[in-house]
Every structure is written in C-alpha cells, then in structure tokens.
Amino acid sequence: MSVAYDFARSPAAEFMARPQDLLIDGRRVPASSGRTFKSLNPATGQVIATVAEGNEADVEHAVAAARRAFEGPWRTMRASERGQILMRWAELLKQHADEIVEIESIDAGKPISATLRQDFPSAVDTLTYYAGWADKISGDVVPVRDDALTYTVREPVGVVAAIVPWNFPLMIGMWKLAPALACGCTVVMKPAELTSLSALRIAELALEAGLPKGVFNVVTGPGRVVGDALVNHPDVDKVTFTGSPGVGRGIMKGAASNFKRVSLELGGKSANVIFDDADLESASKAAASGIFFNAGQVCSAGSRVLVQEKAYDEVVERLAARAKSLRIGDPLDRKTALGPVISEKQMKSILDYVDIGRKEGATLVTGGEKVGDRGYFISPAVFAGVEHEMRISQEEIFGPVVSVIKFRDEADALRIANGTAYSLAAGVWSRDIGKLQRFAKRARAGTVWMNTYGYTDVRLPWGGERDSGLGREHGTAAIDNFTEPKAVWMNLAV
C-alpha cells in the first residue's frame, strides 16, 4: 500500500492554501479570538489547511446575520426566485466539480472514485430537487363551516443550526441546507472539525450564485464550543444534526431551553440478513460493499451480517475473499476501493474493538490491522463465530469491521436483527417474496432493502428511531422539518 499524494500539484491546492476563515454575513472573516486549528489529510497525517476556530462570539454574529436575512430579503423574496438561486448554485457546483470532489477526497480521506460516483452527484441532486420545491410548498383549504374560509399555510421555521458529521460532509451537509433554504429558512452550519473545507467552498459558490448575505453562514470549530453555542442560542429556531447518539441526547437537552425543533439522524448497527435460499454471490458482494464502503464509516453500514445456518460457512468465505481483494491506498487514485479512516483517534477505537472481538471469543478470519507507516489505514476485518450478545454485535464500531452471525429461522433472524438499540436500516436476501415481506413488516428500521443494500434517494424518507434518531430527512418529510403550519380562519358572515 502506498500513498502518492502530492499536495503541490492538486487542483484544489490554491483553495486549501488560503487561510480558511469563517463565512458570516456574506464575508470570510477570521475567528474573533484569532485562533486557528490544523486540518489533516487522513491518508498522510499531513496538514492541508489552517482553519478558523470559532467560538461563542462568532456564533452570536452568525445567528444575528441569519436572523436579519430571515426577517429581510430571504423570507420576503418570491419563492420562485429562491428556487432560481438554488438552481444557479447547483450549476456552479457542477462547474467546480473537480475541485470540490478533490477537496472532499483529501479532507475526508474518501476514495475519489466513490466521491465522484455518489457523494457529489447526490449533493447536486438534493440541491436541484429542493430548488424545484421552493415554489410548490403549499397549504390546504379545509371546509370547516359555511360562514368561514379556513385554510392552512406553511411558513419557514426561521434560523436553522445545521450540525454536519465528518463521514459525508458534502452530501449530508446538502441534505440539510437544500430543504432549509428552499423553505425560506436561513442557516448557520457547523461542519465537523475534522472536515470543514467543502462547506466553506460551497458557501463561497452560494454567494456567487446570488444567495443574499446572511442566508448561509459557516462557523468552524469544536463541537463542544460552536455546536453547544448554537444549540443553546435563544434565537436559533431549529437544530438538524447527524452524529452520535450521545451528542444527540445532549442536543435534545439544550434545545429544551427555548423549545427548539430538533431532527436527529444518529447511529446504526444495521442487520443484513441472508437466508439460505438467497443468491449468495450477490448477497455476499453487496454485504461486503455495505460494510466496507467509506471504510465502514456509514451510519447505515451493514455491520451485522446475519446468515442462515446452511449458508453460513460459504458467506463467511466469500466475505473474507472480498475483504482481501479490496485495494487499499491513496484516495486520489481512482483504483482505490478503501481509503483511511478519518483520524488517529478513530483508528485506535476501531482497533480496540478488534481486540474486544477476539477477547469475546469471536474468530478474526481476516484483516483488522493497521496498514502502512503513515495515515490511518485499517485492513477490512471479518469476524466469524459472533454471538448476538457480544459487544462487537451490539455497539457501533464505525469502521471496516463486520460481525457474521448465524441464525436458525425467520423468527431467530428477526429477534437478532431487532435486538440492538438502533433502528436505522436493515437488509434481507431471499428468493421467497413472502419471507421478504414478512421480514420488512416486522423489522425495526427506517429503511429496509430487499435483495440489495445501501441505496438512498432524496425523494424517500431517511431516518430511524431509538438510538438511530428522531424524525426523517429527505422527500416531503424535509419540507415538514423546516416549515410550521399555520391555520387561517376568515369570518364570511360580516
């Protein structure tokens, strides 16, 4: 495994070489404290950018700017004009695709081929989809009685705090931005400290597209400072967050101060269930992709592969073979299938879980080792002989580690699949349509994939319950997230 990264020759080098200041009220400004932090390339451990370290004062300025924009030009603008600005922004993103994709790949350690294939197209699709929604958000006439005209309208929630994770900064950032802006809200975004760069670049392009100043602000810095300040700010009307259940619980507590609306997309320990009558080649291939994509740093990763007894040994063998075949290396190499995990801390956490799995008595069939002498690369790990109660079966590892668990029959598969605190997603493989439908009906999951795994689309709701979160993103659910219904009653008997 080698990393042939040459920062000096990167098309994105000019952007990353600049001081990465905050973006508040339409201008790039340094943090009020003057403090900065270093952004590292996970593939090399090298510094790639110097980023402003925002604090409570910067959040105050950003929220005030967002409030002025909300009460002024953005809210009063014609909805169709808002949509046109978002469409122009999408066109600018496409014009700068190579630069944005490279920034994302270098900053997050994401294989550039996958970023080109999924992350960037999904971000653009999300933006264009909600741009089309901007002038179609309507209410209903409700015929309550003959002497009154009664109807409903949907109004924007107000100032939104969007707190974005490090695993899909561009894509998930747009999942929050696009519907909020289409609905007429204004946004203060806090990207993850580890991956701040793409948010700052697309914010610059939003201004170029004609987005009024203050509508979209970016405050970078640590979650315990910037995130907490946003959650506790009395003039923030809604928080949308993707991240860990622990942080999600803290956000709900903080939001209670002024009863902010909250939507949370949190963790997962998704079960990918393979019955012995399934197409085992297709199921194994998809199961490997479902856990090893993005180095396993995916909330809906199929980190538990449940296999019926008769097919168990074959699926373990196929998963191990696919794990061994994945090319690990430079994220900018288009042949790379598996890049680094995001940080040294995350790498250590994952390797600790590999040790826990061994100590619990599971069999490490392959992988689970640090790769190379720099960067944060881990060989994809396959554990066999995993019992449902083991920690590696119950706890979110967020890395390229799969637990293969044996089950007897439908009832046993359902018991194991539903037997964690999470409920984000699940997959099921069988040639028996009745079996598929029974499992889908009883699985505790916001999304169930049948004879496939991992697909998402902005037109379908996305989210979970329990430790997987609260509310749904995407589709019309996102319109509900960022609007408030108002009832209007007009007396006609006058």
Side-chain angles (χ1 to χ4, degrees):
M1 193 279 298
S2 65
V3 177
Y5 173 64
D6 184 352
F7 177 74
R9 298 178 61 186
S10 164
E14 183 180 345
F15 171 76
M16 290 188 280
R18 285 192 274 144
Q20 293 303 317
D21 291 335
L22 314 176
L23 196 151
I24 298 176
D25 206 18
R27 297 188 301 118
R28 295 296 292 269
V29 295
S32 58
S33 67
R35 298 184 61 169
T36 61
F37 63 92
K38 304 298 184 183
S39 182
L40 304 182
N41 178 359
T44 64
Q46 296 174 338
V47 175
I48 55 171
T50 300
V51 185
E53 186 177 317
N55 61 18
E56 293 89 345
D58 299 307
V59 169
E60 188 66 40
H61 294 153
V63 172
R67 178 57 62 186
R68 287 193 298 273
F70 176 70
E71 300 295 349
W74 193 240
R75 188 178 189 182
T76 57
M77 183 182 292
R78 288 184 178 181
S80 60
E81 188 177 349
R82 283 203 304 268
Q84 289 163 11
I85 291 172
L86 297 184
M87 283 293 190
R88 288 199 296 271
W89 187 18
E91 288 303 312
L92 280 172
L93 293 181
K94 287 188 279 188
Q95 291 172 25
H96 291 265
D98 289 345
E99 177 193 7
I100 294 167
V101 166
E102 189 165 0
I103 289 169
E104 189 81 341
S105 179
I106 295 169
D107 196 27
K110 302 171 74 70
I112 197 165
S113 57
T115 308
L116 280 164
R117 185 179 66 250
Q118 175 173 316
D119 299 38
F120 183 79
S122 175
V124 172
D125 184 39
T126 299
L127 184 53
T128 55
Y129 173 75
Y130 284 110
W133 259 106
D135 59 359
K136 300 172 185 67
I137 300 168
S138 59
D140 298 295
V141 175
V142 184
V144 172
R145 48 193 285 177
D146 289 341
D147 62 351
L149 172 62
T150 49
Y151 60 93
T152 64
V153 293
R154 284 203 164 272
E155 298 181 338
V157 165
V159 175
V160 173
I163 303 176
V164 179
W166 47 256
N167 58 334
F168 291 94
L170 174 65
M171 185 177 76
I172 294 180
M174 194 59 77
W175 287 3
K176 301 179 185 305
L177 276 171
L181 297 178
C183 289
C185 299
T186 56
V187 177
V188 180
M189 175 179 282
K190 195 211 87 66
E193 195 173 0
L194 294 168
T195 54
S196 301
L197 301 184
S198 60
L200 291 165
R201 185 65 184 113
I202 67 170
E204 291 179 340
L205 293 174
L207 292 170
E208 189 176 331
L211 204 69
K213 66 179 185 178
V215 172
F216 175 23
N217 309 272
V218 182
V219 181
T220 53
R224 66 183 181 278
V225 177
V226 176
D228 287 357
L230 283 168
V231 169
N232 291 295
H233 199 290
D235 213 22
V236 170
D237 301 297
K238 176 177 171 64
V239 177
T240 172
F241 168 76
T242 298
S244 72
V247 176
R249 291 186 181 93
I251 286 172
M252 291 193 73
K253 291 177 182 178
S257 60
N258 67 332
F259 298 103
K260 292 177 178 67
R261 290 183 59 179
V262 174
S263 53
L264 306 171
E265 198 262 87
L266 306 177
K269 195 68 180 176
S270 300
N272 199 355
V273 178
I274 302 174
F275 286 94
D276 58 19
D277 64 344
D279 177 341
L280 298 185
E281 168 61 19
S282 296
S284 300
K285 181 179 179 180
S289 175
I291 179 57
F292 300 136
F293 175 71
N294 204 43
Q297 299 169 125
V298 183
C299 292
S300 58
S303 53
R304 294 183 300 147
V305 175
L306 281 52
V307 187
Q308 200 162 15
E309 292 168 323
K310 194 189 302 183
Y312 185 85
D313 290 342
E314 181 178 346
V315 171
V316 169
E317 183 178 336
R318 287 178 179 274
L319 281 174
R322 295 200 71 84
K324 292 174 185 176
S325 72
L326 293 175
R327 177 167 174 165
I328 304 171
D330 181 2
L332 294 180
D333 183 340
R334 296 199 182 200
K335 295 180 181 178
T336 293
L338 194 75
V341 298
I342 190 64
S343 66
E344 185 175 14
K345 179 182 177 182
Q346 185 67 12
M347 180 177 69
K348 184 180 183 304
S349 173
I350 295 164
L351 294 176
D352 285 347
Y353 269 109
V354 172
D355 289 338
I356 288 168
R358 285 197 191 101
K359 291 173 183 176
E360 288 182 312
T363 300
L364 182 61
V365 179
T366 188
E369 298 177 338
K370 186 182 187 310
V371 177
D373 57 1
R374 65 173 182 163
Y376 315 124
F377 296 88
I378 298 174
S379 56
V382 177
F383 272 106
V386 178
E387 298 295 333
H388 171 56
E389 296 77 14
M390 291 179 176
R391 287 181 63 186
I392 60 170
S393 172
Q394 291 291 319
E395 299 175 14
E396 187 176 37
I397 299 172
F398 223 62
V401 180
V402 63
S403 296
V404 192
I405 304 169
K406 190 180 294 185
F407 70 87
R408 296 183 304 276
D409 52 25
E410 287 186 52
D412 197 33
L414 195 67
R415 175 187 67 84
I416 296 170
N418 288 341
T420 74
Y422 300 99
S423 62
L424 186 58
V428 58
W429 297 78
S430 173
R431 288 187 170 90
D432 183 339
I433 192 169
K435 193 181 295 181
L436 294 173
Q437 290 292 337
R438 288 191 296 272
F439 180 87
K441 183 176 181 179
R442 295 168 185 162
R444 294 200 67 176
T447 295
V448 178
W449 293 290
M450 296 180 181
N451 291 332
T452 190
Y453 196 89
Y455 289 99
T456 60
D457 193 286
V458 70
R459 294 152 191 83
L460 295 171
W462 179 255
E465 305 168 26
R466 301 183 292 173
D467 279 17
S468 288
L470 177 71
R472 294 292 186 272
E473 295 185 297
H474 295 354
T476 58
I479 302 300
D480 294 338
N481 281 343
F482 297 108
T483 58
E484 291 281 10
K486 175 184 285 184
V488 180
W489 188 300
M490 178 186 291
N491 180 16
L492 300 179
V494 291

